[in-house]
Amino acid sequence: MSTAKVAITMEENLLKQIDRLVSSRVYPNRSRAIQDAVAEKLQKMDRGRLVRECAKLDRTFEQAMAEEGIGAEVGQWPEY
């Protein structure tokens, strides 16, 4: 995956925390620490969006659709 160089401004206390992680060899450098933090935040935001969208579903309707689909296919399932 390609990378791009960016410049950011952050609070000094956050930078000190990142530097401690680099010093203790949790991360090889500041860039990797910040990249991992941003990636984790974006993943959490995506999961939150998925939860919100799932909450909009009608559980009764979804259950009925699932059962209807399963009922139609049961005869096609192999014997075990």
Side-chain angles (χ1 to χ4, degrees):
M1 184 180 304
S2 64
T3 59
K5 188 171 272 219
V6 297
I8 62 170
T9 303
M10 67 172 46
E11 296 175 5
E12 285 186 32
N13 65 334
L14 291 176
L15 188 57
K16 287 178 184 178
Q17 290 176 8
I18 291 169
D19 286 342
R20 280 195 296 271
L21 292 172
V22 172
S23 294
S24 61
R25 299 188 188 273
V26 174
Y27 288 99
N29 52 51
R30 288 176 172 175
S31 293
R32 186 65 199 183
I34 294 168
Q35 182 177 341
D36 283 358
V38 170
E40 183 178 324
K41 179 64 175 180
L42 292 173
Q43 287 173 352
K44 284 181 181 181
M45 290 174 73
D46 282 346
R47 282 193 302 269
R49 190 176 79 228
L50 178 60
V51 168
R52 286 190 303 277
E53 292 301 316
C54 286
K56 295 176 186 177
L57 297 174
D58 179 345
R59 289 183 179 204
T60 305
F61 174 77
E62 296 298 328
Q63 183 69 37
M65 293 298 292
E67 289 172 358
E68 180 181 316
I70 289 173
E73 296 173 358
V74 169
Q76 299 173 1
W77 291 0
E79 287 289 326
Y80 290 102

